[in-house]
Amino acid sequence: MYELHFGVPMSGAILCTLNTRHDSAMVSVLLKHSEAKMLFVDYQLFDIAQGALEILSKTTTKLPLLVLILECGQPSPDTGKNSSFPGTLIYDNLIAKGELGFEVRRPKDEWEPISLNYTSGTTSSPKGVIYSHRGAYLNSLATVLLNEMRSMPVYLWCVPMFHCNGWCLPWGIAAQGGTSVCQRSVTAEGIFDNIYEHKVTHMGGAPTVLNMIINSPLEVRKPLPGKVAVMTGASPPPPDVLFRMEELGFIVTHSYGLTETYGPGAICTWKPEWDSLPRDAQAKIKARQGVHHLGMEELDIKDPLTMKSVPADAKTMGEVMFRGNTVMNGYLKDLRATQDAFKGGWFRSGDLGVKHSDGYIELKDRSKDIIISGGENISTIELEGVIFSHPAVLEAAVVGRPDDYWGETPCAFVKLKEGYNVKPEEIIQFCQNRLPRYMSPKTVVFSDLPKTSTGKTQKYALREKAKAMGSLFKKNNNSRL
């Protein structure tokens, strides 16, 4: 996939990296929507690709040419006459036929598309996000700056390259002459082993990856050969996770963005005067989303109705909006969704946040996730951060549970660390000791958390579970929580 980030655009084609966790049905939908002409598939996913093509063969869609990628020396599977798709090519054989004197087909216009990225579908059905050559170029250089990469960095891949083209780092790392350390699966043991063996200088990962590292068994940990810079994003990391990562010797930088902003669009740039603050205060500041990077023109928090900027009082909530060359061209074949996303001349993220006096923004919630209980707005991000700080908690997600009296109340789904046994009341009390009573969860459910293919918690699934529980307050009951 790393090679294809260069070969495909250089041939004048558009790269569409599909999530490796999709099943055949989803792959067939995305192949049809993208009208892909070639499908490169790793041998471990060959069955999924074949299943997708079998589904497509029953429609009028023209099938893409299948190119199979094998490990070195691995025999190819049966793709002959008896195969469902006898025209399958082998990647290495295809590369061997390449012309050394091939003239790179450069874009005639920087606005031309370089890649198509499908959103994870956390809040809705997947959309095809179009990236331009100019946007990818600018964000690639921005990621080098955000990660403070010197020449010849060693980067450990924990961020999937199918996710926002790996935050544009495949191109950024190459620009710095860097080494990419790739792994088929991401585990705490693999992370420590690779850092130790290859003297890794940089890596990235969602908060779930950070959580994996800080909760790893002592026997898999190895001393870091030096400070390892980690960029995290995807969802706001709890301050406690950031604090514990730095205790292990990692330097964590918090970025924020969406698929529509080529991955990182904002960065919590650190100020020297914050060094003197207590560690817990530093972690809370580092959890902010910060300011836009040099490749992004503007970042603001606005009232979505009036489009006026909210005051920088750290209290007034508005919608996070972006504008610039590192914002997508639009959604493929979806003019209505594109127009809605850019209504008012800014890209509307759907995230709610506040602006601090220094201009740094801080997310409070997704617009669909905010809980309104008895007229009070409750930030699930803030509540999740408090729950995460409980020593027994491994993962946590908060959604609204319908309530006949309050409208809705906070319902926390919690996954405990192995070996811990606590009661829901203990989690509730823990939160009440640290937050206003109305913000604390009224319900705590211990369970595994459903995840999307990019590792985000599927809150819509949790909302359905909370809805099925019914109201905590009963109309025929005089008690009020």
Side-chain angles (χ1 to χ4, degrees), residues 433-446:
N433 292 342
R434 290 159 177 79
L435 292 168
R437 193 176 182 85
Y438 76 89
M439 288 187 64
S440 301
K442 302 297 184 289
T443 312
V444 174
V445 179
F446 295 121

Side-chain angles (χ1 to χ4, degrees), residues 158-211:
C158 298
V159 176
M161 288 182 218
F162 61 70
H163 185 51
C164 308
N165 294 113
W167 296 349
C168 291
L169 278 164
W171 301 304
I173 292 166
Q176 290 297 86
T179 299
S180 283
V181 181
C182 302
Q183 43 189 357
R184 282 195 172 270
S185 60
V186 178
T187 64
E189 185 174 7
I191 289 171
F192 280 105
D193 286 348
N194 279 306
I195 290 175
Y196 184 79
E197 180 181 353
H198 300 290
K199 294 181 171 55
V200 167
T201 60
H202 295 78
M203 60 175 282
T208 50
V209 174
L210 274 54
N211 211 21

Side-chain angles (χ1 to χ4, degrees), residues 24 41-54 68 77:
S24 294
V41 58
D42 183 86
Y43 74 95
Q44 287 189 330
L45 303 172
F46 186 58
D47 290 343
I48 291 175
Q50 281 195 311
L53 295 183
E54 285 172 3
L68 178 61

Side-chain angles (χ1 to χ4, degrees), residues 4 19 35 51 56 62 198 220 271 291 306 355 385 444 479:
L4 292 171
N19 195 312
E35 299 182 46
L56 282 180
K62 185 177 180 180
H198 300 290
V220 307
K271 297 182 180 181
V291 292
T306 65
K355 191 190 301 182
V444 174
S479 65

Side-chain angles (χ1 to χ4, degrees), residues 291-306:
V291 292
H292 65 82
H293 61 60
L294 288 175
M296 179 70 69
E297 186 175 351
E298 291 183 88
L299 166 66
D300 200 2
I301 295 184
K302 293 178 173 290
D303 183 311
L305 297 178
T306 65

Side-chain angles (χ1 to χ4, degrees), residues 51-64:
L53 295 183
E54 285 172 3
I55 294 171
L56 282 180
S57 67
K58 298 172 184 176
T59 69
T60 56
T61 304
K62 185 177 180 180
L63 298 184

